[in-house]
Each structure stands twice: as C-alpha cells, then as structure tokens.
Amino acid sequence: MRVADDTSAESGPGISINHDHSHKANRPTFVNSQCWVTLALVVRVRLGSALTVPIRSWLVEESGQRGKLWVARQLIDSVRGHVTDARLLIDAWFMRRSLILPLLEQRVRIIGQVRRDTALYFLPQPEPRRRGRKRKYGLRIDAAVLEALPAKMMELALCGKAQSVRLRSVNAVARFLKGLPVRVVCPGGHFKIPHLWPGQIPPVATAGA
C-alpha cells in the first residue's frame, strides 16, 4: 500500500505561513513552517504487523502553481513503474477530483477519507424509458441513513494487534467525482470518518477501515 501525506517543519528554507490541519492542543491554526509531501510504502513484515518506509519527499514551493496536489501527483508518477498492484491511501485533504480521476484512468486503486459533509448518493433506481438524460444520482446518503445500515463485525490488524471493528458500508456515487461509483465504509457506525473506494464497488469493505 502507498500512502501520500503532508507534514510541516518549522526550520529550514522555503518557510511560509501554512494551515496546520492536525488540530493539536495548544497549537495555532496557522504556523510559519515548511510544507513537505511524502510518499511512503507500507509493507507487511509479519502477521499483524506492518512497516512504513518513506520513498520520496518533496518540499512544496512557497509561491507559484505547484501546490500539494501537483506535488503528490509527481511523487506517485515517479514510482509508477517500480511499485505496482498497490493501493493508494490518502486523507481528506487529498481527496480531490483533480488528483483522483487521472489516477483512476491509470488503474490506481484508491482508499481515502472524506469530509462528513461530502455529497454521497445511492445508485439511481432503474426507471422506465423517458425523454432526457438518465438520472445520475439516487437518494442522498446522510448520517441517519448510514446509522440505519446493518453493521458487520470484522477482525482487523490495527496498531500491531488484532481488534474487532464494527463497519457499515454501502455502494454509492460521489458528486465531487462526477457521479463515479464508490464504496462508502464507516468504521464504528459513525459518519465522522467515512472512507471511499472510488471507481469500483468491491465485494467486501475490509480495506476501507
């Protein structure tokens, strides 16, 4: 599995004012720091344990058009011929259409966290033939809808040990991905941290936890 994420460093060249979205206690919302985007590879070293190996890091420019999304795309492209058949794990900040759709065209499998206000809809129901375009979206999926879905208990390796996790999942379409089919997975049955599998509807939701 590949992981792309950003981090801050408070000393060195290229320092600018950046938003600190880690929400740490007693920390300001904006900090004067560097911004690095890192691509790492997660490998399983033994049963129930994994090792994260940083592959490449890129210092985001203080000004200009080369932001974090552009840098993430360059890092992913740089290892495309060397790392194959690996999912890409990203957080809510990187779950943007401009990054995801080109990667899906390259058959990159993506798992990402989304904001809780992301517009998600059921797949449209079959309807009789009529004039005009077919419906792209069904009913809106909100917290109440997800809470009513049946929960499934799964045994997953988390933090180096086996833990029981309660998951709710549903097939849906995402508006920010232009109606692309996705798999929505909510750990713990709450709508606070939904995860998506864009571009495909897998048979199980294990990897979305």
Side-chain angles (χ1 to χ4, degrees), residues 10-190:
E10 297 184 2
S11 62
I15 286 179
S16 61
I17 297 177
N18 295 292
H19 180 259
D20 184 8
H21 54 78
S22 61
H23 303 294
K24 294 182 179 179
N26 301 320
R27 292 277 294 178
T29 304
F30 293 90
V31 294
N32 197 28
S33 64
Q34 294 176 324
C35 181
W36 290 85
V37 177
T38 299
L39 182 67
L41 185 66
V42 179
V43 295
R44 192 174 297 277
V45 293
R46 62 178 183 272
L47 184 61
S49 181
L51 180 66
T52 301
V53 182
I55 301 176
R56 292 193 65 183
S57 293
W58 192 313
L59 177 62
V60 180
E61 296 179 0
E62 180 180 354
S63 60
Q65 302 299 319
R66 298 182 176 183
K68 290 191 290 185
L69 291 176
W70 183 89
V71 170
R73 178 68 185 276
Q74 302 307 308
L75 292 175
I76 296 169
D77 287 345
S78 68
V79 300
R80 184 170 49 184
H82 306 281
V83 181
T84 59
D85 196 29
R87 299 182 181 92
L88 175 66
L89 179 64
I90 51 181
D91 65 13
W93 198 96
F94 289 94
M95 284 290 286
R96 310 294 178 94
R97 180 170 59 196
S98 59
L99 176 66
I100 293 175
L101 293 183
L103 293 177
L104 291 178
E105 293 178 357
Q106 302 173 13
R107 299 185 179 276
V108 176
R109 295 178 295 169
I110 301 172
I111 305 173
Q113 183 181 0
V114 295
R115 292 164 39 128
R116 59 181 176 182
D117 60 352
T118 300
L120 302 171
Y121 299 84
F122 284 110
L123 299 171
Q125 296 294 325
E127 56 185 9
R129 297 188 62 179
R130 58 181 178 84
R131 289 185 177 182
R133 293 181 297 177
K134 294 183 178 179
R135 294 183 184 274
K136 185 182 292 188
Y137 306 102
L139 296 176
R140 178 75 180 261
I141 299 175
D142 56 16
V145 172
L146 280 177
E147 193 68 26
L149 294 173
K152 181 178 182 181
M153 297 298 298
M154 302 192 72
E155 194 81 9
L156 301 177
L158 301 174
C159 301
K161 60 181 180 180
Q163 300 187 39
S164 296
V165 180
R166 183 164 55 96
L167 302 175
R168 286 185 169 92
S169 65
V170 64
N171 299 333
V173 289
R175 171 162 287 181
F176 81 100
L177 294 178
K178 296 184 176 181
L180 198 70
V182 297
R183 179 73 166 232
V184 183
V185 179
C186 274
H190 298 290

Side-chain angles (χ1 to χ4, degrees), residues 1 126 194:
M1 178 178 289

